[in-house]
């Protein structure tokens, strides 16, 4: 059996060093904590099971400059959900389905400029 898993993502994801909350726009409640993000999707750690193909309207509450949060609203489809035991009950992956132009620009800047855990400035990967 091969030890390599074929990567199906179109864009590389960046793991986050700072906590970023994901809010459910329909309920106003926290859906979970953002684990990684890309131009095409994200994954979260959550205490809720998600159904694949379930679509959610969410807001990513991203760490901003000088500690001020930046909110990006979008619609995303759950692609997978699995039980985990380390840091949360579940991990779930989402594909971005729709986003307003200004939120897309803000998300792309955030992904481009965000320094991930363990990287030095200037070592950011291409997205």
């Amino acid at each position: 059996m091969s030890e390599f898993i074929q990567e199906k993502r179109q864009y590389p994801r960046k793991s986050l060093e700072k906590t970023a909350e994901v809010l459910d726009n329909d309920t106003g409640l926290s859906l979970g904590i953002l684990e990684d993000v890309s131009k095409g999707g994200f994954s979260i750690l959550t205490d809720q099971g998600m159904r694949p193909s379930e679509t959610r309207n969410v807001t990513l509450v991203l760490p901003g400059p000088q500690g001020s949060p930046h909110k990006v609203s979008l619609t995303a489809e759950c692609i997978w959900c699995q039980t985990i035991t380390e840091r949360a009950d579940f991990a779930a992956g989402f594909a971005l389905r729709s986003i307003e132009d200004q939120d897309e620009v803000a998300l792309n800047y955030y992904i481009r400029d965000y320094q991930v855990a363990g990287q030095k400035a200037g070592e950011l990967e291409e997205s």
Side-chain angles (χ1 to χ4, degrees):
M1 183 189 302
S2 173
E3 293 182 21
F4 297 99
I5 298 173
Q6 182 179 359
E7 179 60 60
K8 296 180 181 178
R9 295 180 184 135
Q10 183 177 0
Y11 304 104
R13 294 201 180 176
K14 292 187 179 181
S15 296
L16 304 185
E17 184 175 73
K18 296 181 182 178
T19 300
E21 190 172 22
V22 180
L23 302 175
D24 184 316
N25 291 347
D26 297 325
T27 66
L29 300 174
S30 177
L31 194 57
I33 301 298
L34 195 62
E35 185 174 44
D36 61 37
V37 65
S38 78
K39 291 179 181 181
F42 58 91
S43 68
I44 64 171
L45 300 175
T46 181
D47 60 0
Q48 306 171 37
M50 308 281 167
R51 291 185 323 272
S53 76
E54 177 179 8
T55 300
R56 296 283 187 118
N57 296 311
V58 300
T59 296
L60 308 180
V61 184
L62 304 170
Q66 291 83 39
S68 61
H70 185 77
K71 296 180 179 181
V72 173
S73 295
L74 54 92
T75 301
E77 178 184 353
C78 181
I79 302 301
W80 58 267
C81 183
Q82 63 188 28
T83 304
I84 60 172
T85 57
E86 301 89 45
R87 298 176 286 165
D89 296 328
F90 300 94
F94 288 83
L96 193 143
R97 293 298 179 230
S98 67
I99 187 170
E100 296 290 327
D101 289 344
Q102 67 186 27
D103 284 329
E104 183 176 21
V105 169
L107 181 61
N108 288 339
Y109 277 120
Y110 177 78
I111 291 167
R112 185 195 71 187
D113 296 341
Y114 189 81
Q115 184 171 329
V116 297
Q119 283 187 326
K120 297 176 184 171
E123 292 181 341
L124 295 178
E125 61 185 293
E126 285 290 318
S127 295

